[in-house]
Amino acid sequence: QVQLVESGGGLVQAGGSLRLSCAASGRTTSSYAMGWFRQAPGKEREFVSAISRSGGNTYYADSVKGRFTISRDNAKNTVYLQMNSLKPEDTAVYYCAAHPNRWIVTTVKGYDYWGQGTQVTVSS
């Protein structure tokens, strides 16, 4: 199993940037593919981005392509989400998630472990 803790959320103006971090317990990150999801008030949790175990493959929701970048440093047991050109529509609680499969997963049900989330607020 793996324990996940997100950090890096905050308030930023539209067009600005934030980098979210997801720290995993122990030295387990290499055994899990990772993903980022977000949930705005009154809305369902939605997929944002995912990365394979080694970091060799990444995938992005259409809404964030070209603006967000997911990466991982398995030596540091950390996954990152670099968010650039932020829009008010990006405002949400962002969650880090993990699953043991070898392939990239884009659904909430496909993930086994979740962090508690970090708030990202983008002002206009």
Side-chain angles (χ1 to χ4, degrees):
Q1 63 179 18
V2 60
Q3 183 175 354
L4 308 173
V5 179
E6 302 97 336
S7 63
L11 175 65
V12 65
Q13 291 183 324
S17 299
L18 284 174
R19 170 170 280 197
L20 305 184
S21 297
C22 175
S25 62
R27 299 179 180 178
T28 61
T29 53
S30 63
S31 298
Y32 296 89
M34 306 292 293
W36 286 96
F37 290 76
R38 65 188 183 186
Q39 187 168 20
K43 297 184 178 180
E44 296 295 318
R45 192 168 300 185
E46 67 172 341
F47 171 78
V48 175
S49 186
I51 189 167
S52 61
R53 291 175 175 178
S54 67
N57 294 306
T58 59
Y59 189 81
Y60 300 91
D62 288 341
S63 59
V64 305
K65 285 182 179 178
R67 299 189 298 121
F68 291 9
T69 302
I70 190 171
S71 62
R72 67 190 301 164
D73 186 339
N74 287 340
K76 296 182 179 179
N77 294 326
T78 302
V79 178
Y80 305 95
L81 184 68
Q82 178 66 46
M83 306 186 295
N84 298 325
S85 301
L86 283 163
K87 305 174 181 179
E89 306 93 272
D90 296 318
T91 296
V93 176
Y94 283 70
Y95 297 90
C96 178
H99 69 85
N101 302 122
R102 295 187 296 274
W103 54 88
I104 286 178
V105 175
T106 62
T107 62
V108 170
K109 293 182 178 180
Y111 287 83
D112 300 305
Y113 305 101
W114 295 84
Q116 294 300 305
T118 185
Q119 177 70 48
V120 172
T121 302
V122 184
S123 62
S124 60

